[in-house]
Amino acid sequence: MRAYTTAHLKVDLPQGHPFPLYKYQGVAEALKELLPVLPAPEVPREALHLAHRPEYVERLFTEGLSRQESLRLGLPFSPSLLRRALFAAGGTLAAARDALELGLGLNLSGGTHHAYPDRAEGYSLFNDVAVAVAWLRREGFRGRVLVVDLDAHQGNGTAVFFQKDPTVFTLSLHGERNYPLRKERSDLDVGLPDGVGDEAYLYALDEALEIAQAFRPELVFYNAGVDVLKGDRFGRLGLSLEGVRKRDERVFRMVKALGVPLVVVMGGGYNRDPRLTVEAHAGTYRLALSSLA
């Protein structure tokens, strides 16, 4: 078993920018005693073309993004940002291959679920899960795929990627009034009120997972964002650290009962206490290892 990281890649950001680069190094450090943590490989450009509009991909490599597009992304475009996105998507693809081979794949990055086929949004240049699924299909995997997105924000880009694909079921459990203001249509969307706590969240999750597992997936991607924690700068939900652990337990229990491979990607986490963000993310990966490895 191994995990992939983009912690070694730097990004040019303005001083004080809220993007939490610190957490990638922190989670990698927290897990390195448990398993090898390897630099993520770069995603093949051909894989990007299979998922995203080729003209969008090529424009990123030639012109980059306009100022308006960078504002929608929430990050200033730079060669270092593009490079990091390539390796984050490559980490998810490598983790997906690991999952098919070993039963579990771990990317300590990724979960960039706001990227659309033809545009960037919400800290997301490429939709790493969509890219991984497209490449697995290219390699011959024909099984049904379940995307369990438990980031605090709806996986709007992921929903659009798979709306016309009956072999992929998208589940998004998210803050109803949070970003993105305009929601897309997943196969199952569960919108939650601001400040929802452990009990109500887990009740909603139990119902959603019961519906999702009836799809009988043969591969599961789990976007394990921890911006659901109380005190997150952008999440607006109210889970405790124990609530996040119980959330993860439910997902891993379902996967184990189904007997299918699982890919875990990091998703969002922007807590006002950086240590809590790292602890919550690391706890998800530790629990995945103890439950499924």
Side-chain angles (χ1 to χ4, degrees):
M1 191 58 59
R2 53 193 169 251
Y4 302 95
T5 182
T6 57
H8 57 295
L9 299 171
K10 305 304 179 186
V11 179
D12 300 321
L13 292 177
Q15 187 172 2
H17 193 283
F19 188 76
L21 278 174
Y22 68 85
K23 73 179 186 178
Y24 301 96
Q25 183 66 46
V27 175
E29 287 291 328
L31 296 176
K32 68 180 184 180
E33 300 300 325
L34 293 179
L35 79 172
V37 178
L38 309 177
E42 184 174 0
V43 71
R45 196 181 298 195
E46 186 180 0
L48 300 175
H49 282 197
L50 290 174
H52 288 273
R53 298 278 177 83
E55 58 271 23
Y56 167 67
V57 174
E58 291 310 310
R59 189 161 61 83
L60 289 176
F61 283 93
T62 54
E63 303 171 26
L65 297 178
S66 68
R67 183 176 181 276
Q68 188 61 36
E69 289 170 322
S70 290
L71 288 173
R72 180 188 290 156
L73 174 63
L75 294 163
F77 184 83
S78 65
S80 64
L81 182 70
L82 175 60
R83 178 174 169 80
R84 186 184 178 281
L86 293 170
F87 285 85
T92 296
L93 175 53
R97 286 169 160 165
D98 284 352
L100 293 180
E101 178 186 353
L102 306 170
L104 179 64
L106 305 174
N107 186 16
L108 313 185
S109 187
T112 46
H113 59 168
H114 297 308
Y116 280 69
D118 60 349
R119 69 177 189 265
E121 278 195 16
Y123 293 170
S124 304
L125 269 182
F126 303 118
N127 193 300
D128 58 308
V129 169
V131 170
V133 171
W135 192 254
L136 292 181
R137 298 296 196 217
R138 171 73 172 269
E139 293 183 329
F141 177 72
R142 295 290 177 262
R144 292 180 300 277
V145 176
L146 168 62
V147 181
V148 178
D149 192 333
L150 302 187
D151 189 277
H153 307 95
Q154 194 215 27
N156 54 336
T158 305
V160 168
F161 267 100
F162 297 117
Q163 274 176 354
K164 297 180 180 179
D165 187 345
T167 70
V168 179
F169 187 99
T170 52
L171 160 62
S172 182
L173 192 76
H174 53 262
E176 181 62 36
R177 298 176 59 197
N178 206 339
Y179 177 92
L181 294 179
R182 179 181 179 274
K183 306 294 191 291
E184 302 289 355
R185 179 179 53 79
S186 309
D187 289 292
L188 178 59
D189 285 300
V190 181
L192 301 169
D194 287 359
V196 70
D198 293 355
E199 185 177 355
Y201 182 96
L202 295 171
Y203 181 83
L205 177 60
D206 285 339
E207 290 191 328
L209 291 179
E210 185 175 353
I211 294 169
Q213 65 185 333
F215 181 67
R216 295 180 293 113
E218 294 157 273
L219 174 64
V220 177
F221 286 83
Y222 177 30
N223 186 332
V226 302
D227 43 7
V228 296
L229 276 168
K230 185 177 182 179
D232 192 89
R233 295 177 68 172
F234 304 129
R236 293 170 59 169
L237 301 181
L239 270 67
S240 68
L241 203 58
E242 177 65 10
V244 172
R245 186 187 66 79
K246 289 180 177 179
R247 175 200 72 169
D248 294 339
E249 277 182 342
R250 283 161 163 77
V251 175
F252 300 151
R253 189 184 310 135
M254 177 196 72
V255 169
K256 192 167 186 177
L258 289 168
V260 299
L262 172 69
V263 184
V264 183
V265 297
M266 181 174 276
Y270 319 90
N271 207 277
R272 292 183 178 88
D273 181 350
R275 294 169 299 177
L276 191 59
T277 297
V278 171
E279 182 180 356
H281 277 307
T284 294
Y285 291 103
R286 288 194 192 100
L287 189 59
L289 287 166
S290 63
S291 302
L292 299 169

